[in-house]
Amino acid sequence: MISSLLPRLEHVGIAVADAAPVRTLYRRLLGTLPYKVEEVQDQGVATHFIAAGAAKLELLEALHDDSPIARHVARRGEGLHHLAFEVADLAAHMERLREAGFRLLQDEPQPGADGKRIVFLHPKDTHGVLVEFCESQPALPPPTRVAVPGGSLAVYSWGSADRPPLVLLHGAAGSTPTETAVLARALAPHFHIAALDFAGHGASDVFPDDALTADRFVADVQAVLEAFGWPAAHAFGFSMGGYIAAELARRHPDQVERLAVHASNAFWDEALVAQMNARLQPDALPARVQAQLDHVHRDWRLLFDRMRTFVAGLPALSDVADRLQAIQQPTLVTAADQDDLFPLQSALDLHAHLPDSRLGVLPGTRHGIAHVSVPALAELLHAHFLPEAARSFG
Ligand code: ZN
């Protein structure tokens, strides 16, 4: 059934030979620069999005000579490339259009820029103007449940099962939807991704009688690997998730192929514990944040209490350096240069102690994946986990 929403002009695609002068042009015309640049590798195109009222302009710049945009510019010059109409239910509209005799250039919706799924109509059927229909992707796939003793974990999955497996681990008092999902979407074309909510976090069960410990979280990840039938996977962790990914790599080296951590800290002192735990005081949070947390976790006040205990136990790890030295997997350590929780020195220390480590520093002032450029972080992770597939930037 087709939604009552009528197709809405979402964007106008404009083919350009070189985006730089066209960006300048629209800054002069509209007083604004593109709010986002995104590469769509499948199409060989960089898209520059410029806000223009209810719709937007999408400058299309070829990434290489084989790109359809390069061929379009060579044949027809720069200019209008396509009109895109957004619909709520793309599959239903594709059926409607086929029944009406339109030829579609793709049998199935394709991944487009800006989190869209898209399909093009044959321009011979549309009087010379290429027409795209698009729909916004659902923000999150529904989680599956993975059974563990006493309950179950919520696990979100992206990407095709024939891609290399990758687990994504969120931070303390975080969740997949609020932290790692944004990265999963960027990495989904290249990996089969499982992102779990740790016990007591997000949509996973609360397990009120269990202590939340590193042992527990490592076992959570192992349960997910087993449920997905993965003897081993690449592992990425944000903040505390980085600690858990590293512990999994150290304790069970056969289960982690390559490791990456972002905005993670290994060397705790009392001052850092106090700073971390100040963030885990439920009543100190603004009412607006408390209301959000009601939607993120099943019992966030209990979770915060338990995670303060978890954090307070961290400095007891007197053998952190030895633990890090024991990690043999190739590891990527990334950080925001001005992270407001863990100083850049945290990343430098990790990098110095891990035997096979690379370092990536991104501009950013806040502690969170979404506070650095997600495409840039995804690019570093893609190149680290799949070095054979890494593109050259020549
Ligand atoms: Zn488009």
Side-chain angles (χ1 to χ4, degrees):
M1 194 187 113
I2 292 181
S3 149
S4 59
L5 279 178
L6 289 171
R8 173 186 80 84
L9 181 64
E10 213 277 337
H11 63 264
V12 176
I14 300 169
V16 302
D18 173 9
V22 187
R23 290 165 62 105
T24 305
L25 166 71
Y26 283 103
R27 182 168 51 91
R28 291 168 64 207
L29 290 174
L30 307 176
T32 182
L33 279 166
Y35 62 87
K36 180 161 91 169
V37 180
E38 188 179 334
E39 293 185 0
V40 182
Q41 294 295 339
D42 290 350
Q43 318 277 336
V45 65
T47 56
H48 305 245
F49 288 98
I50 300 171
K56 56 202 184 200
L57 307 180
E58 182 186 72
L59 307 184
L60 301 158
E61 181 185 34
L63 289 171
H64 49 70
D65 291 345
D66 290 337
S67 158
I69 294 301
R71 290 198 295 273
H72 179 95
V73 170
R75 257 201 324 267
R76 305 175 62 170
E78 294 185 307
L80 176 67
H81 182 265
H82 66 272
L83 303 178
F85 297 98
E86 182 171 40
V87 293
D89 185 344
L90 183 57
H93 278 275
M94 288 172 69
E95 200 178 305
R96 173 181 71 84
L97 292 163
R98 280 196 192 103
E99 281 173 7
F102 290 97
R103 289 167 288 175
L104 304 181
L105 295 185
Q106 294 86 21
D107 291 335
E108 296 290 331
Q110 304 293 309
D114 212 17
K116 295 285 195 294
R117 288 164 15 108
I118 65 175
V119 67
F120 285 101
L121 277 60
H122 197 297
K124 291 232 164 69
D125 297 343
T126 52
H127 289 259
V129 176
L130 185 59
V131 170
E132 167 190 328
F133 275 69
C134 62
E135 75 177 353
S136 293
Q137 294 199 18
L140 269 183
T144 55
R145 309 296 303 187
V146 168
V148 291
S152 69
L153 305 173
V155 184
Y156 301 83
S157 178
W158 287 261
S160 153
D162 60 2
R163 300 285 181 167
L166 168 65
V167 290
L168 301 181
L169 307 179
H170 63 72
S175 73
T176 300
T178 55
E179 292 181 348
T180 46
V182 65
L183 203 50
R185 279 194 285 276
L187 293 169
H190 310 292
F191 298 93
H192 188 199
I193 297 171
L196 60 139
D197 286 351
F198 285 123
H201 291 72
S204 287
D205 286 347
V206 176
F207 305 96
D209 300 325
D210 298 1
L212 298 184
T213 62
D215 292 351
R216 171 62 202 245
F217 295 144
V218 167
D220 285 350
V221 183
Q222 289 186 292
V224 171
L225 292 177
E226 194 182 339
F228 276 69
W230 295 344
H234 299 305
F236 165 85
F238 161 65
S239 197
M240 179 196 79
Y243 168 42
I244 301 305
E247 276 300 287
L248 179 69
R250 183 182 70 83
R251 301 181 191 189
H252 306 284
D254 50 320
Q255 290 193 297
V256 176
E257 288 179 3
R258 298 173 79 89
L259 173 68
V261 303
H262 178 70
S264 206
N265 178 68
F267 295 90
W268 291 83
D269 58 27
E270 292 304 327
L272 204 48
V273 167
Q275 198 187 339
M276 181 78 193
N277 275 348
R279 295 185 175 220
L280 292 169
Q281 300 292 341
D283 294 325
L285 295 169
R288 174 183 53 82
V289 175
Q290 295 191 20
Q292 287 167 355
L293 288 166
D294 285 338
H295 293 285
V296 175
H297 305 294
R298 291 188 171 177
D299 187 343
W300 68 269
R301 286 176 177 274
L302 175 61
L303 171 63
F304 276 39
D305 285 347
R306 298 155 92 193
M307 292 314 293
R308 285 200 310 278
T309 305
F310 176 94
V311 173
L314 288 169
L317 302 171
S318 53
D319 52 350
V320 174
D322 289 345
R323 289 184 180 221
L324 294 175
Q325 296 274 325
I327 294 172
Q328 296 303 319
Q329 287 88 345
T331 304
L332 175 68
V333 177
T334 57
D337 60 346
Q338 298 178 67
D339 189 308
D340 58 334
L341 180 60
F342 301 142
L344 185 56
Q345 191 60 46
S346 296
L348 298 176
D349 289 343
L350 271 170
H351 177 55
H353 285 85
L354 288 160
D356 186 3
S357 158
R358 291 138 199 79
L359 179 67
V361 180
L362 297 159
T365 58
R366 300 275 306 280
H367 184 69
I369 291 172
H371 293 290
V372 297
S373 161
V374 172
L377 178 56
E379 187 65 49
L380 289 175
L381 292 169
H382 179 208
H384 171 65
F385 288 131
L386 303 178
E388 67 283 3
R391 297 175 295 116
S392 84
F393 288 89

